[in-house]
Amino acid sequence: MAGHKTENVRRAMQLLIRSLPAEGTFFNIVEFGSRHETLFKSGSVEYNQENLDIALARIANMNAELGGTNILSPLKDIFSIPPHRKGVPRQLFILTDGQVENRQECISYVRMHATSTRVFTFGIGADVDANLVKGLAKAGEGHAELLQPHMTENIDIMVMNQLERSLQPALVGLQVVFSDALRPLVRSFSPFRMP
């Protein structure tokens, strides 16, 4: 990640972390490149001042020292741990400036876990794989934001929009059943795939 992109990622992460709801929130930070590192090794921690200060200190010292872009490995680690509350989907925010060789595999992996995790993505910079960023968000029933270099003044708005979207209630275990009388009348519906 080049200097300006790194600063945009720091700014986005700081705003996101500071804006999380204080009550009932658990969080963690996973940095990724060719390898990945988790801030809180034992898993997500309660959102409180002590953990917030630890996270903000780590974000302030972040640099692009982890090499290329490998999203699949950290996704596998994240999804191996169940969400904290049964029936309440985890909200996963992915910030990336890179491209991957296994885009479809990453998207498919997120789709497999869409019933337990909603994914909201940020693509940073002109070189980001926009199809990856959009595909991960769509597969994870979330939303994507792309930040181009000339749009840096919009980063706060993008972060707050994503946070607002993530805080909207999610439908879990929804079933739609049509009676035999209505079945011939129903040709299609949207969204095509229910979460």
Side-chain angles (χ1 to χ4, degrees):
M1 220 179 301
H4 195 61
K5 287 192 278 186
T6 302
E7 194 52 44
N8 284 334
V9 168
R10 275 193 203 117
R11 184 172 156 193
M13 288 184 68
Q14 287 170 342
L15 179 58
L16 185 61
I17 293 289
R18 284 190 171 121
S19 301
L20 291 172
E23 193 171 314
T25 298
F26 289 79
F27 77 103
N28 206 343
I29 296 173
V30 179
E31 293 179 71
F32 61 91
S34 54
R35 66 185 203 289
H36 65 280
E37 296 177 0
T38 303
L39 177 61
F40 299 106
K41 306 295 184 215
S42 61
S44 293
V45 295
E46 187 175 353
Y47 187 84
N48 59 34
Q49 193 61 52
E50 179 184 356
N51 291 332
L52 174 62
D53 291 343
I54 292 168
L56 291 173
R58 179 63 192 126
I59 293 167
N61 292 315
M62 237 179 231
N63 54 33
E65 62 189 30
L66 296 177
T69 302
N70 175 2
I71 294 178
L72 187 58
S73 182
L75 285 174
K76 287 181 176 183
D77 281 358
I78 291 166
F79 292 140
S80 72
I81 302 168
H84 276 276
R85 289 179 288 189
K86 187 176 174 107
V88 178
R90 166 184 21 226
Q91 312 299 320
L92 176 61
F93 296 91
I94 299 175
L95 292 84
T96 183
D97 70 337
Q99 300 183 17
V100 296
E101 293 179 12
N102 58 344
R103 176 194 313 142
Q104 198 53 51
E105 187 178 0
C106 294
I107 292 169
S108 295
Y109 199 76
V110 166
R111 187 175 294 114
M112 285 178 9
H113 296 275
T115 57
S116 65
T117 303
R118 292 187 349 183
V119 177
F120 299 86
T121 57
F122 296 88
I124 310 287
D127 299 329
V128 71
D129 183 345
N131 291 324
L132 172 69
V133 172
K134 292 175 185 176
L136 291 171
K138 184 176 180 182
E141 306 294 339
H143 191 81
E145 291 280 359
L146 295 168
L147 180 69
Q148 299 303 319
H150 63 281
M151 298 171 53
T152 55
E153 67 278 356
N154 295 337
I155 196 164
D156 294 354
I157 294 168
M158 290 178 171
V159 169
M160 294 313 292
N161 284 343
Q162 287 287 60
L163 184 59
E164 184 178 331
R165 290 176 187 119
S166 75
L167 295 174
Q168 297 303 310
L171 298 175
V172 178
L174 178 69
Q175 289 185 341
V176 178
V177 180
F178 298 103
S179 69
D180 289 339
L182 288 177
R183 198 172 311 253
L185 301 175
V186 178
R187 291 191 179 93
S188 67
F189 56 89
S190 181
F192 179 72
R193 187 177 75 79
M194 290 293 191

